[in-house]
Amino acid sequence: MRFVNEVAMTHATNECLLWPFAKKGAGYGTIWIDGRLVGTHRYICERVHGAPPTPDHDAAHSCGHEGCVNPHHLEWKTAAENMADKLIHGTHHRGERNPQAKLTEAEAREIISLKGLESKVALAERFGVSTGTIGDIHRGRNWSWLIDATTDQP
């Protein structure tokens, strides 16, 4: 708490202030508050801006750095607003940036381009994924940003 009170809450510059202690796997700082482990950025955001406007609001980083606890970089945003910021900052984990991704963006584009030309079974075998994954890509459930919404084509 000493770091939060004496360093973070008094941080006056616009530079990121990185949490130097325990972190979750994604790089977010953690702190024990009232017997619960909470995100440090969320705790500081609440101290600076009050409680979130709704339960659907996240403590979002305007700097794009998940380890930052600079109070000037934290604000309440909806999950959709926060995701849009992650796309702008390049800190998103969609597509091949997702550690669990089995396909590259080029492979997903090829799967989209072969919709209706090659069977889902053949595509699944060729790319080493399930037919369900192929169907999800064709329907826009996965890799949806690669499909133009107006023409349903890549």
Side-chain angles (χ1 to χ4, degrees), residues 126-144:
R126 182 157 96 179
F127 290 98
V129 295
S130 71
T131 56
T133 297
I134 300 298
D136 286 345
I137 293 169
H138 285 167
R139 285 189 299 278
R141 289 174 125 176
N142 293 341
W143 301 89
S144 60

Side-chain angles (χ1 to χ4, degrees), residues 7-154:
V7 178
M9 296 305 292
T10 62
H11 192 69
T13 74
N14 197 35
E15 298 295 318
C16 284
L17 175 63
L18 302 183
W19 181 248
F21 304 109
K23 296 177 183 162
K24 293 181 190 175
Y28 293 95
T30 58
I31 189 170
W32 286 96
I33 304 293
D34 298 326
R36 284 184 354 162
L37 190 63
V38 298
T40 309
H41 65 295
R42 186 171 181 87
Y43 176 73
I44 291 173
C45 190
E46 190 162 342
R47 286 206 33 200
V48 172
H49 301 292
T54 72
D56 296 328
H57 279 76
D58 298 327
H61 296 86
S62 62
C63 59
H65 194 293
E66 66 276 348
C68 180
V69 293
N70 181 338
H72 306 290
H73 293 183
L74 301 170
E75 60 187 322
W76 296 118
K77 291 197 174 186
T78 65
E81 292 168 330
N82 200 9
M83 180 53 73
D85 284 351
K86 287 179 180 183
L87 292 173
I88 292 166
H89 297 137
T91 57
H92 62 84
H93 295 289
R94 72 179 189 178
E96 60 189 63
R97 290 186 65 157
N98 185 320
Q100 296 177 351
K102 294 182 179 177
L103 298 169
T104 64
E105 183 173 320
E107 290 170 327
R109 285 184 186 279
E110 187 174 353
I111 290 167
I112 292 166
S113 72
L114 294 170
K115 180 180 179 179
L117 301 175
E118 198 169 322
S119 75
K120 289 179 189 172
V121 172
L123 289 171
E125 286 177 7
R126 182 157 96 179
F127 290 98
V129 295
S130 71
T131 56
T133 297
I134 300 298
D136 286 345
I137 293 169
H138 285 167
R139 285 189 299 278
R141 289 174 125 176
N142 293 341
W143 301 89
S144 60
W145 61 96
L146 300 179
I147 300 173
D148 182 80
T150 58
T151 64
D152 198 34
Q153 294 295 317

